[in-house]
């Protein structure tokens, strides 16, 4: 990619439009974390392909903001370009508005595509820019339409019905629950923009976004009708008939602004973090600015969804066991990061109901493991050696559930530093697994448990400790999270959440251990209800790097019990040879 030529083309357009800067976020009109190729404008203009980041281009400079997951990857991908890397949450890093103020000066006009930025982000940006000497923000311009030759079209992939046996609740009943929640928020209706919320509500799935079974659309819920705004070529007669039976009408994707204009009820709920600024400003009715009620509904799994998760984790555990046994038998020097990634994907694809991977596999050997979200490519792929760590973060989309698991695998001799870091990360992982907490607690209140042993050693990681996981949907689901930053969404019985502390030593190695957990009841006392976690993931954690003297007896007991459960659950589904390997991998330690 000739990024410098693209910057020149952009600046020619900016000069004609009298713009001092243009801002490129990572999102699409639906505020998706992962977007269809049509909306990868930030990647087009910068060359950086991480899932999170914002590029800003002025007439004489360029900068890219991203978080700690991508610091090392961004440094590498931005080499040879004008871009300066801005590290979020690092002391001394200016905000976007501050940097624009310094680069452009008072009274400048800058721009952003209002269709690809949330209402809350744009309103905050307008206020921040105003403080920088009265800089104004234009929101109705997209330069990519002029400079992106061969821009991919918006996907037109077919939508499919998600079977009720896995969904556990009809779309009609979900819409009734949503309407009840809207009444409690004193709203007459809502515009749903998040693609995974729409897929969950309607019990439909698609393939418009890589690894995420969603489809590009909007859903407008009015007091007496529901309308899906979508490119109609994506709907088969069977799906159209299904929607009609569920009480859902269909209109063209481009007509959503007209639908909002024709909306006749007194008010409408728009989630300012979900609905883009352009649509937000087109509404003439009173707006109820609240979080979409669908987000929290979706995160609490019903009995069918929980059963589906357990089934998906069983299949994934079988595939992971077969993979780990295979890897154990190989000469590491004959393998590469890409070849082990391909082998794991092949083994998963043999499992019933497998549909796809849930994200691009992170197969990172040694120093690559310190690049938090490193994904091997033909250009970066390196051979393995019979020493050190392979960090493997992967997952799958099964029709009955979504998986996300990380194991850090020793390929041979390890240093004492590697063993110590591995054990400290494992301690943090186990402490979350062991946690008991009062109902109503948020993940932020638990996060320190994953970090306390690391902090004592002066170690830390800047990404979150855990995120929700969808039901054959996006692998990242919220609003609940386990992380240092304040996230008030409480953890509720039926939620899934990952547990994935890690440490990354640049130029050396990385360690991360991740399971997907389910929130279940613990006990009720005079002090109220208490909750706990149970691990859904079924895959052994390698015990050979553990410095057992660093673990408490309670931590050892948890690990041994977890491994016994894995063996008891998986062994009936394995060959005698595979079962024997698993028995050794799950052997108790003391």
């Amino acid at each position: 990619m000739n990024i410098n030529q693209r910057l020149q083309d952009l600046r020619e357009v900016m000069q004609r439009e009298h713009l001092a800067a243009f801002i490129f976020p990572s999102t699409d009109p639906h505020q998706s974390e992962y977007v269809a190729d049509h909306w990868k404008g930030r990647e087009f203009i910068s060359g950086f392909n991480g899932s999170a980041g914002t590029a800003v281009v002025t007439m004489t400079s360029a900068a890219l903001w991203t978080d700690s997951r991508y610091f090392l990857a961004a440094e590498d991908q931005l080499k040879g370009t004008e871009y300066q890397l801005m590290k979020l949450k690092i002391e001394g890093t200016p905000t976007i508005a501050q940097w624009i103020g310094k680069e452009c000066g008072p009274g400048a006009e800058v721009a952003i595509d209002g269709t690809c930025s949330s209402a809350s982000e744009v309103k905050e940006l307008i206020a921040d820019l105003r403080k920088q000497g009265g800089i104004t923000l234009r929101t109705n311009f997209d330069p990519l339409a002029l400079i992106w030759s061969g821009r991919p079209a918006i996907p037109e992939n077919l939508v499919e019905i998600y079977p009720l046996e896995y969904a556990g609740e009809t779309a009609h009943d979900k819409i009734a629950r949503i309407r009840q929640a809207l009444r409690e928020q004193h709203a007459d209706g809502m515009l749903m923009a998040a693609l995974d919320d729409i897929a969950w509500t309607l019990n439909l799935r698609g393939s418009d976004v890589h690894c995420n079974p969603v489809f590009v659309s909007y859903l407008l819920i009015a007091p007496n009708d529901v309308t899906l705004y979508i490119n109609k070529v994506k709907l088969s007669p069977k799906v159209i008939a299904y929607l009609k039976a569920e009480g859902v009408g269909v209109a063209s994707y481009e007509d959503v602004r007209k639908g909002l204009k024709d909306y006749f009820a007194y008010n409408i709920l728009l989630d300012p973090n979900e609905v883009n600024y352009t649509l937000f400003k087109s509404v003439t009715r009173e707006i109820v600015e609240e979080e979409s009620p669908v987000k929290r509904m979706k995160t609490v799994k019903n009995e069918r969804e929980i059963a589906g998760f357990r089934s998906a984790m069983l299949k994934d555990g079988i595939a992971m066991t077969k993979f780990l046994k295979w890897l154990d038998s190989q000469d590491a020097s004959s393998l590469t990061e890409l070849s082990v990634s391909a082998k794991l994907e092949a083994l998963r694809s043999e499992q019933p109901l497998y549909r796809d991977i849930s994200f691009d596999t992170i197969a990172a050997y040694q120093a690559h493991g310190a690049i938090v979200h490193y994904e091997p490519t033909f250009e970066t792929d390196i051979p393995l050696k019979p020493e050190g760590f392979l960090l493997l973060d992967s997952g799958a989309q099964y029709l009955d559930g979504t998986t996300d698991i990380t194991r850090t695998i020793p390929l041979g001799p390890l240093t004492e530093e590697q063993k110590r870091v591995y054990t400290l990360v494992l301690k943090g992982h186990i402490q979350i697994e062991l946690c008991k907490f009062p109902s109503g607690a948020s993940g932020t209140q638990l996060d320190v448990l994953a970090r306390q042993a690391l902090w004592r050693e002066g170690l830390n990681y800047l990404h979150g400790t855990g995120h929700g996981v969808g039901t054959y949907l996006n692998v990242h689901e919220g609003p609940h999270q386990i992380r240092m930053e304040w996230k008030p969404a409480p953890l509720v019985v039926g939620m899934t959440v990952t547990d994935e502390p890690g440490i990354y030593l640049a130029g050396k190695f990385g360690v991360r251990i991740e399971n997907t957990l389910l929130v279940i009841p613990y006990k009720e006392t005079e002090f109220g209800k208490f909750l706990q976690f149970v691990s859904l993931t079924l895959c052994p954690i390698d015990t050979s790097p553990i410095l057992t003297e660093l673990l408490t007896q309670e931590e050892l007991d948890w690990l041994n019990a977890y491994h016994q459960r894995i063996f008891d659950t998986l062994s009936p589904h394995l060959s005698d040879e595979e079962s024997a390997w698993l028995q050794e991998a799950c052997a108790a330690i003391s």
Side-chain angles (χ1 to χ4, degrees), residues 37-38 132 175-176 208 229 261 267 287 291 325 332 429-430 440 466 488 573:
D37 290 346
H38 176 82
Q132 304 297 319
I175 291 168
D208 285 353
Y229 292 90
K261 184 178 179 181
N267 64 26
I287 296 175
E291 178 185 88
K325 177 184 177 299
H429 175 91
I430 295 175
H573 305 276

Side-chain angles (χ1 to χ4, degrees), residues 67-224:
D67 62 51
S68 65
R69 295 173 297 169
Y70 296 110
F71 287 169
L72 295 179
E75 284 179 356
D76 184 60
Q77 293 178 10
L78 297 178
K79 285 179 182 176
T81 73
E82 296 181 35
Y83 281 92
Q84 176 184 0
L85 176 60
M86 299 293 183
K87 298 181 178 181
L88 291 171
K89 300 180 185 176
I90 298 299
E91 188 175 352
T93 299
T95 66
I96 289 173
Q98 288 169 343
W99 185 80
I100 290 175
K102 181 181 177 182
E103 294 291 318
C104 301
E109 182 180 32
V110 303
I112 193 170
D113 181 359
T115 68
C116 289
S117 304
S118 73
S120 60
E121 289 171 335
V122 172
K123 288 192 286 187
E124 183 178 353
L125 185 58
I126 289 171
D128 290 344
L129 288 171
R130 190 178 295 124
K131 297 173 186 176
Q132 304 297 319
I135 294 175
T136 58
L137 184 67
R138 180 175 167 185
T139 62
N140 62 347
F141 181 60
D142 177 16
L144 295 174
L146 301 174
I147 67 171
W148 192 347
S149 176
R151 183 178 189 176
I154 298 175
E156 296 182 350
N157 302 324
L158 287 175
V159 171
E160 63 180 12
I161 300 168
Y162 189 53
L164 185 60
E165 64 181 292
Y166 305 123
E169 184 180 14
T170 67
H172 181 272
D173 288 346
K174 288 178 180 178
I175 291 168
R177 281 207 291 140
I178 293 167
R179 282 196 166 114
Q180 176 58 39
L182 291 172
R183 285 193 288 272
E184 293 171 2
Q185 293 175 282
H186 306 289
D188 297 322
M190 70 172 292
L191 177 69
M192 204 181 301
L195 302 185
D196 56 335
D197 286 3
I198 297 169
W200 176 84
T201 299
L202 297 179
N203 289 343
L204 295 175
R205 298 293 189 268
S207 57
D208 285 353
V209 179
H210 178 55
C211 298
N212 298 288
V214 296
F215 49 93
V216 175
S217 59
Y218 293 97
L219 189 67
L220 181 61
I221 299 180
N224 299 312

Side-chain angles (χ1 to χ4, degrees), residues 166 302-315 398-402 471:
Y166 305 123
N302 60 44
E303 290 184 6
R304 290 283 184 89
E305 290 173 318
I306 292 171
F309 261 101
R310 294 189 183 281
S311 174
M313 294 293 177
L314 174 64
K315 293 188 282 283
Y398 301 97
L399 196 59
D400 49 0
T402 301
T471 303

Side-chain angles (χ1 to χ4, degrees), residues 16 34 47 55 67 107 115 134 171 263-264 282 286 289 303 312 345 389 391 415 418 456 462 467 473 539 546:
R16 291 199 303 267
Y34 300 102
D67 62 51
T115 68
Y263 178 85
F264 62 86
S282 71
E286 179 183 317
E289 293 191 39
E303 290 184 6
E345 185 174 343
F389 278 137
L391 191 158
T415 66
Q418 287 174 321
R456 290 193 186 108
L462 298 182
H467 58 81
L473 266 177
C539 178
I546 297 174

